[in-house]
Amino acid sequence: MVGKTLYDKLWDAHVVRTEEDGTTLLYIDRHLVHEVTSPQAFEGLRMAGRPLWRASANLATADHNVPTTDRSKGIADPVSRLQVETLDQNCNEFGITEFDMHDPRQGIVHVIGPEQGATLPGMTLVCGDSHTSTHGALGALAFGIGTSEVEHALATQCLIQKKSKSMLVSVDGQAGNGITAKDIVLAIIGELGTAGGTGYAIEFGGDAIRALSIEGRMTVCNMAIEAGARAGIVAVDEKTINYVRGRPYAPKEDVWEKAVKVWNELHSDENVEFDHVVRINAADIKPQVTWGTSPEMVVAVDARVPDPAEERDTVKREGMQAALAYMDLQANTPVNEINVDKVFIGSCTNSRIEDMRAAAQVAKGRKVASNIKLAMVVPGSGLVKKQAEAEGLDKIFTDAGFEWREPGCSMCLAMNADRLEPGERCASTSNRNFEGRQGQGGRTHLVSPAMAAAAAVTGHFVDVRELEGGVANG
Amino acid sequence: MDKFTSLKGIVTPLDRSNVDTDAIIPKQFLKSIKRSGFGPNLFDDWRYMDTGEPGMDNSTRPLNPDFVLNQDRFKGASILLARKNFGCGSSREHAPWALQDYGFRVIIAPSFADIFFNNCFKNGVLPIVLDASVVDQLFNEVDASPGYQLDVDLDAQTITTPGGNVISFEVDAFRKHCLLNGLDDISLTLQHVDDIKAYEQRRRQDTPWLF
């Protein structure tokens, strides 16, 4: 018998029917909903007089528009407020569970899914958000969809799909001390390019991926979309099972053993052939910093800003020149001489408790540099915030001069009040350095939480492993 | 969904790779709870000299004269000619909504990002993939001839240039069928309610923790 990839297994288990040309009706186990991409979908249901297919498959939260400052007075911006209130009303009308802005479990949709056990191995999971790939870290087939598909999922619990090609990205060997999941995934994107994964579902494997915690794997899968792949997945192992155990939406005792048995099969069969395989040597990966306006424009912190003159491809060269102009950088500038104005630690990529701890270790006993106008830490959920506070991390941050905020998407995309002003340069733990992403005219450099904290306390990019005085352990 | 059968229209060239959906429609306009009205804010950061906010009177805002959409020769265009990996980034369907609301019904590029590509078909917008060399040639022709128009025929899967050159393109048969007939995916799927219910029943037995 021909072996199957993990992607094959997840796909096959969810096929409702397939047409001759391969067009497939795929069943969706979990649908996560947020305020930005859902109002038109609910409106579509109402206009067509269609009911919701299965309320219990849905879980909603408000994350993009919510303020990260005091929420007791609600949302100041009336347009944002209306969108959040519309979600509340829609969830109420259709009977969908929602963690609203004042719920202690509210947070970024891609943080709360796994945190609640609403994301489980073997599931198909969708959300009207491209970073839905995050949930693949648990061995789920998870991908982002547009609003028409949100409506389709609400109305039918299915989507019309065609199967993607399969790619294995194997990160072999052991990553060096101080190298994080973020550095690994940025290095992968640097290798694949921003469209290298287009048309593929990427399975991340290899020793360096296996060595990552589940939260680290989420960081990696989160950015699969930045390499063009709608879905990123990691095989289930002991860590996955241990992560899921005991979470509110996880299987209860009576079916737990049965579930684990099914989940333990969620890995690619040995010697199965992928459509494409990329191998990366983990030991070669250094802390990464993006220099341009696409996540593929990334180098190691000890490198220099690339020189377009050395690029032979015309379209690429012009892209580099445009990026340098936008970023106000000169070719060949050492990355560690680039000063930053603001620091953002948060987003669905890096706002979980381990991210908070990694940043706090760097911030501990240090002060935010005088040239930094704002350094903010935005936990991914109310529960992450609570846990961090129980560990005293908030105190470490505020003592160092960081602001400690309420959970949400915040300055990753600046839909709320948190944003860069034109020309400001930011060390950000988010996922996109596109023009204007963090505010019109803002300049984003993507880094890991530890690297962002190091930039905050020194005022410029620096290899966190070489920070004077070292980094506190635990 | 609006049908798409054929179209002859002016071509606007957007000579940049990796145009992301944040650039197509910036985040502040995503706060709308409607599906329409995004056209005036299409490519907002590149198109205007000031910072756009929802609710502004766009007709009085200062335009960036260097941006193609503001050049007279491309007024009334319905075909956008773009570079590789068009529509990358966020899954926001507001991107095809904005393109369509502006008047674009066809986008031609050497490659598209997956989610954007898919979203176009749900909104009566036809994304066409052509070889990079053919796209290059079209950029040259558009540049050389003001008023340049292309004739796109979905049924025949052809693009005809003003010089009479006929370029064939591929399109998924199911998506083509839906576009030609303006079909709504949800009603198609709801023809298979029994299959969905049978699937659910089976899965309730095998994987009860998912229900």
Side-chain angles (χ1 to χ4, degrees):
Chain A
M1 210 177 87
V2 182
K4 286 183 172 187
T5 62
L6 172 56
Y7 175 61
D8 292 331
K9 291 180 184 181
L10 293 168
W11 177 272
D12 291 351
H14 291 88
V15 173
V16 172
R17 56 179 285 131
T18 306
E19 307 301 328
E20 267 178 31
D21 70 347
T23 302
T24 297
L25 198 57
L26 196 72
Y27 192 79
I28 303 303
D29 295 315
R30 174 72 68 207
H31 181 204
L32 301 175
V33 180
H34 66 83
E35 79 276 20
V36 181
T37 54
S38 66
Q40 299 87 350
F42 284 112
E43 184 62 16
L45 287 189
R46 268 191 293 268
M47 281 167 64
R50 286 178 178 133
L52 181 66
W53 183 275
R54 182 159 77 85
S56 67
N58 298 274
L59 179 64
T61 197
D63 54 7
H64 286 62
N65 280 277
V66 299
T68 57
T69 47
D70 178 22
R71 286 179 184 170
S72 58
K73 293 188 180 68
I75 302 174
D77 173 3
V79 193
S80 285
R81 186 168 65 234
L82 176 63
Q83 196 166 55
V84 171
E85 286 171 356
T86 302
L87 178 69
D88 296 345
Q89 285 161 11
N90 283 328
C91 289
N92 195 25
E93 179 185 336
F94 287 91
I96 291 173
T97 302
E98 186 203 2
F99 299 163
D100 70 23
M101 196 171 79
H102 303 290
D103 191 301
R105 299 165 295 178
Q106 177 270 340
I108 304 173
V109 70
H110 307 308
V111 173
I112 68 169
E115 185 174 79
Q116 291 294 322
T119 306
L120 293 173
M123 272 186 166
T124 42
L125 181 151
V126 295
C127 173
D129 191 285
S130 61
H131 291 111
T132 308
S133 56
T134 310
H135 307 262
L138 288 156
L141 176 57
F143 53 92
I145 56 178
T147 298
S148 293
E149 289 191 317
V150 168
E151 186 179 339
H152 196 284
L154 290 170
T156 71
Q157 209 52 50
C158 292
L159 288 178
I160 299 173
Q161 296 289 302
K162 275 222 168 149
K163 203 172 171 185
S164 303
K165 292 177 284 183
S166 64
M167 183 189 296
L168 172 68
V169 173
S170 184
V171 187
D172 301 323
Q174 201 183 339
N177 276 341
I179 298 302
T180 67
K182 184 65 165 286
D183 301 308
I184 291 175
V185 72
L186 284 172
I188 290 171
I189 295 163
E191 181 78 23
L192 279 179
T194 184
T198 302
Y200 289 92
I202 298 180
E203 179 174 344
F204 296 100
D207 291 343
I209 299 293
R210 295 255 71 84
L212 290 174
S213 68
I214 297 301
E215 292 192 2
R217 294 175 192 179
M218 287 185 212
T219 299
V220 173
C221 289
N222 173 274
M223 292 192 73
I225 185 67
E226 309 315 330
R230 285 177 81 179
I233 32 178
V234 176
V236 169
D237 60 12
E238 264 314 294
K239 286 183 191 171
T240 323
I241 312 278
N242 289 336
Y243 177 91
V244 171
R245 194 187 310 254
R247 293 189 182 266
Y249 283 73
K252 298 293 177 276
E253 265 174 39
D254 52 333
V255 288
W256 174 258
E257 289 305 325
K258 188 176 178 185
V260 170
K261 211 173 153 206
V262 171
W263 297 344
N264 277 330
E265 297 303 314
L266 295 174
H267 51 80
S268 290
D269 293 334
E270 275 185 44
N271 301 324
V272 70
E273 290 211 358
F274 288 83
D275 295 311
H276 189 60
V277 176
V278 175
R279 292 195 180 278
I280 290 172
N281 186 5
D284 295 342
I285 301 174
K286 295 177 180 173
Q288 304 281 304
V289 182
T290 66
W291 56 268
T293 53
S294 166
E296 71 181 7
M297 294 172 164
V298 64
V299 289
V301 64
D302 61 358
R304 290 167 186 266
V305 173
D307 190 344
E310 289 170 20
E311 175 59 56
R312 279 189 288 181
D313 181 289
T314 316
V315 175
K316 256 192 181 166
R317 185 169 59 244
E318 286 170 2
M320 290 171 76
Q321 284 162 343
L324 289 183
Y326 181 84
M327 295 296 288
D328 191 29
L329 288 173
Q330 299 297 321
N332 299 312
T333 304
V335 169
N336 56 25
E337 287 178 11
I338 301 172
N339 288 337
V340 302
D341 304 306
K342 287 184 175 171
V343 174
F344 171 61
I345 297 172
S347 87
C348 58
T349 316
N350 282 127
S351 64
R352 299 177 182 83
I353 190 66
E354 292 173 12
D355 299 315
M356 302 288 110
R357 289 175 188 148
Q361 275 184 31
V362 177
K364 194 171 188 176
R366 295 191 167 90
K367 293 283 178 201
V368 168
S370 59
N371 62 310
I372 303 291
K373 297 180 199 165
L374 170 71
M376 61 192 294
V377 186
V378 184
S381 72
L383 297 181
V384 170
K385 181 169 188 260
K386 196 173 152 199
Q387 176 66 27
E389 288 171 355
E391 295 178 19
L393 305 184
D394 58 323
K395 187 82 175 37
I396 292 174
F397 286 125
T398 50
D399 284 353
F402 289 82
E403 292 190 12
W404 177 247
R405 298 287 189 93
E406 299 296 323
C409 300
S410 181
M411 207 161 67
C412 172
L413 87 166
M415 266 190 87
N416 68 352
D418 309 332
R419 66 188 62 173
L420 297 181
E421 296 303 320
E424 282 182 341
R425 188 180 299 286
C426 182
S428 177
T429 66
S430 55
N431 39 54
R432 289 189 174 131
N433 50 354
F434 298 159
E435 284 187 18
R437 170 80 179 182
Q438 295 192 291
Q440 195 188 24
R443 298 169 178 140
T444 303
H445 296 266
L446 304 176
V447 288
S448 73
M451 285 287 288
V457 298
T458 60
H460 57 86
F461 292 110
V462 61
D463 188 336
V464 63
R465 302 171 303 175
E466 292 166 6
L467 210 54
E468 209 175 320
V471 175
N473 287 317
Chain B
M1 183 179 78
D2 291 343
K3 277 186 194 179
F4 184 99
T5 49
S6 64
L7 169 87
K8 186 171 183 183
I10 292 178
V11 181
T12 298
L14 185 63
D15 196 2
R16 291 176 73 124
S17 309
N18 301 322
V19 170
D20 57 74
T21 53
D22 274 83
I24 296 172
I25 183 80
K27 83 279 289 178
Q28 62 270 36
F29 305 107
L30 273 51
K31 295 176 186 178
S32 167
I33 56 172
K34 298 196 172 79
R35 243 176 209 272
S36 55
F38 296 99
N41 301 111
L42 175 69
F43 297 119
D44 198 275
D45 282 4
W46 293 341
R47 195 163 151 196
Y48 301 98
M49 303 298 279
D50 61 349
T51 301
E53 288 297 336
M56 284 171 96
D57 178 1
N58 295 294
S59 65
T60 61
R61 294 175 59 198
L63 296 173
N64 171 8
D66 295 333
F67 188 58
V68 281
L69 255 54
N70 296 327
Q71 294 169 11
D72 281 345
R73 60 182 284 197
F74 302 119
K75 282 260 149 48
S78 53
I79 300 173
L80 184 68
L81 182 64
R83 293 291 187 185
K84 75 174 177 67
N85 199 29
F86 187 83
C88 62
S90 153
S91 65
R92 60 188 69 166
E93 199 160 315
H94 312 69
W97 294 340
L99 287 159
Q100 197 211 30
D101 197 55
Y102 180 86
F104 289 118
R105 295 297 304 279
V106 173
I107 306 162
I108 300 171
S111 60
F112 292 89
D114 285 341
I115 303 177
F116 175 81
F117 187 73
N118 195 36
N119 285 340
C120 283
F121 284 100
K122 314 281 184 196
N123 292 282
V125 174
L126 175 63
I128 298 177
V129 178
L130 295 179
D131 273 354
S133 59
V134 179
V135 171
D136 261 346
Q137 175 64 22
L138 291 176
F139 266 99
N140 291 338
E141 290 182 17
V142 171
D143 192 40
S145 17
Y148 186 90
Q149 298 199 10
L150 288 172
D151 199 338
V152 178
D153 184 335
L154 175 59
D155 192 33
Q157 296 182 214
T158 57
I159 300 169
T160 309
T161 69
N165 188 13
V166 179
I167 304 162
S168 296
F169 61 89
E170 296 290 320
V171 58
D172 177 85
F174 174 72
R175 284 169 160 160
K176 176 180 172 179
H177 173 70
C178 291
L179 264 189
L180 283 174
N181 298 290
L183 296 179
D184 162 18
D185 279 359
I186 298 178
S187 29
L188 288 176
T189 297
L190 288 174
Q191 291 171 8
H192 304 299
V193 163
D194 291 346
D195 290 336
I196 303 172
K197 287 189 170 161
Y199 174 89
E200 283 187 328
Q201 199 173 6
R202 183 156 50 85
R203 291 284 279 181
R204 274 179 204 275
Q205 300 288 320
D206 298 344
T207 55
W209 58 89
L210 293 175
F211 291 86

